[in-house]
Amino acid sequence: MNSISGLKRRAALVQAIRQFFFDRDYLEVDTPVRLPCVAPEPYIEPVRSGNWFLQTSPELCMKRLLAAGAPRIYQISKCFRRGERGNKHLSEFTMLEWYHAGIDYMGLMNECEELLAFLAEAIGLGSLVPYNEMRISLKRPWQRLAVADAFRSYAPVSMEEALSANTFDEVLVTSIEPHLGKEEPIFLFDYPASLGALARLKKNDPGCAERFELYAAGLEIANGFSELVDPAEQRSRFMQDREKIKAQGRDPGPLPERFLEELEYMPDAAGIALGIDRLAMFLFNAETIDKVISFTPEEL
Amino acid sequence: MYSASDLRKGLKVSIDGEPFIVTEFEFSKPGKGQALYRTKLRNMITGNSFERTFRSSDKFEKPDLEERTMQFLYSQGKEFHFMDTISFEQITIMEEQLEDNVKYLIDNMEVQILLFENRPIGVTIPMFVNLTVTKSEPWAKGDTSGSDTKPVTVETGYVLQVPPFIEEGDKIQIDTRTGEYLTRVKE
């Protein structure tokens, strides 16, 4: 549990997030949390609520708002993922998600840098963030490292070897993540196409998805990409992921048909999900996620 | 049956037919990626520890473990005989398995015996035991060696350091976690 003064710091952070997006002419939206269907994700299990689901992220509804004509939107909402609990995980957590029409993932990385620098300034931290024994400099630009290069630098196997042995995540977590963002935040970018179900593929390299992850002090803070806006391609990827879910013995639930219908009206855009609890851990130098929230599930 | 999501510190699981206890546990998961359950496990029979990472699909049997209160009856060579205080069933444990506990075992002492598939794999003795001193050198008043303890032997044959005023026939309390003298016990 967090102290009241800790909750005040967190409230100031959330206030600053709203200020950042207000200043940049973003529309704050508030989409439903309880949904009849969610995007099929092989490794994200939704929490059921009657015959419906609690959202695992607000992605599909927000993309429908882009398709309906909103060019810049953001949302701060609760997301729910079954079985996720650890020092950096909560089954119910707070997500900041935003979409920006007309830019791609590289432009979105710039916006991430601006946001974090703005927030650190707003809460009185300046450009040097202490975390554990580290001092993380927020001076821009931050390092951008292709995933394949990260494997080359830190892992005992190549990205291709890890993918074919189905150990990509294991190698990432154990060999690579601990090195990421120890001096300044870092973007890992260009993920294998199979790991970016809702991301656009690179034009000159279709084996790669235009996806990135932001890390600071070894913490995974955000995941963003150039959005896939091709409904046929999106449907076929959903179908593939549904098969992976079925192979685990899980029910993939119905396909999000409304989203797929409206996707053709969505403009080119980039979008990102940023964990506010993780961001608060980083900015407030908290070793566990429990220290930045009002109550843990165990305290309820 | 346990699944990986049941893993936590202190959980006992059966792997390849042997009992293990989870001594360290960490949940990790890249946002979009697979959940990984990183553990440190200790084999409850051999005491060996190792690290192992599990995935959501991993399953474990519950080990067949039972703890029973038993009374120490007698020893014969390297064999130590115990009796279940409820069922009166008798079992034998070899001296090596008792490890340091041998130093404190006296007739009729009640201990906790951990059984895995009905085989004894561990013995927990009381934290404090009272034992009688059977051999002690008299303390020479003029001892100038500067030492403020002296060695004595207790009824089990265990030798330890005690304050100089302890004499043969005294009963002393020993902390079995450290093997050290705590106090003299008044009869």
Side-chain angles (χ1 to χ4, degrees), chain A residues 50-274:
Chain A
N51 290 329
W52 285 25
F53 302 93
L54 300 182
Q55 70 176 1
T56 56
S57 96
E59 181 158 7
L60 302 188
C61 278
M62 290 184 78
K63 286 182 173 176
R64 289 176 66 186
L65 291 176
L66 255 77
R72 281 181 302 283
I73 53 177
Y74 81 99
Q75 172 158 220
I76 294 170
S77 62
K78 286 299 181 94
C79 295
F80 302 83
R81 297 178 179 183
R82 204 175 151 218
E84 301 195 5
R85 180 73 177 109
N87 284 342
K88 301 174 202 165
H89 290 82
L90 285 166
S91 187
E92 173 181 344
F93 61 100
T94 308
M95 190 95 102
L96 161 65
E97 186 141 334
W98 78 92
Y99 289 84
H100 191 155
I103 66 169
D104 69 0
Y105 70 142
M106 289 290 169
L108 195 52
M109 288 184 221
N110 298 339
E111 212 165 33
C112 263
E113 293 176 355
E114 288 163 24
L115 172 68
L116 259 69
F118 175 86
L119 296 177
E121 198 67 48
I123 60 172
L125 270 179
S127 65
L128 212 56
V129 179
Y131 191 82
N132 281 344
E133 305 296 300
M134 298 171 264
R135 295 281 175 281
I136 319 287
S137 165
L138 299 185
K139 269 177 89 181
R140 288 171 279 155
W142 303 337
Q143 200 191 341
R144 298 181 184 189
L145 179 65
V147 177
D149 290 333
F151 272 80
R152 268 176 222 124
S153 301
Y154 303 117
V157 294
S158 72
M159 185 178 83
E160 291 73 19
E161 285 164 343
L163 281 170
S164 60
N166 192 23
T167 56
F168 181 93
D169 293 313
E170 200 172 325
V171 176
L172 183 72
V173 166
T174 53
S175 302
I176 300 176
E177 275 189 2
H179 299 283
L180 298 179
K182 293 175 94 162
E183 273 144 30
E184 58 182 37
I186 184 174
F187 296 103
L188 270 197
F189 73 103
D190 282 0
Y191 278 69
S194 58
L195 301 180
L198 292 126
R200 185 172 80 192
L201 301 183
K202 280 179 84 130
K203 273 205 186 73
N204 55 2
D205 183 5
C208 244
E210 291 189 355
R211 174 187 160 196
F212 71 86
E213 291 261 359
L214 169 63
Y215 287 87
L219 290 168
E220 179 192 359
I221 305 276
N223 171 44
F225 34 84
S226 308
E227 301 296 342
L228 175 67
V229 292
D230 175 345
E233 170 69 17
Q234 186 68 76
R235 180 180 295 274
S236 101
R237 292 199 203 166
F238 276 175
M239 297 308 281
Q240 285 169 24
D241 280 342
R242 281 168 62 91
E243 290 310 313
K244 289 184 196 161
I245 292 170
K246 283 185 201 161
Q248 297 167 19
R250 285 201 286 131
D251 172 13
L255 265 185
E257 290 293 347
R258 283 255 172 78
F259 161 76
L260 287 168
E261 272 164 39
E262 292 169 23
L263 188 57
E264 69 174 298
Y265 304 107
M266 185 175 141
D268 278 332
I272 179 167
L274 181 152

Side-chain angles (χ1 to χ4, degrees), chain A residues 41 43-44 81 83-85 89 166-167 169-170 173-174 211 220 223, chain B residues 5 25-38 53 55:
Chain A
E41 290 266 9
Y43 303 117
I44 296 177
R81 297 178 179 183
E84 301 195 5
R85 180 73 177 109
H89 290 82
N166 192 23
T167 56
D169 293 313
E170 200 172 325
V173 166
T174 53
R211 174 187 160 196
E220 179 192 359
N223 171 44
Chain B
S5 60
F25 174 73
E26 195 192 344
F27 175 83
S28 9
K29 181 181 182 303
K32 295 270 185 190
Q34 301 182 34
L36 298 168
Y37 303 84
R38 301 160 77 184
T53 298
R55 300 184 179 199

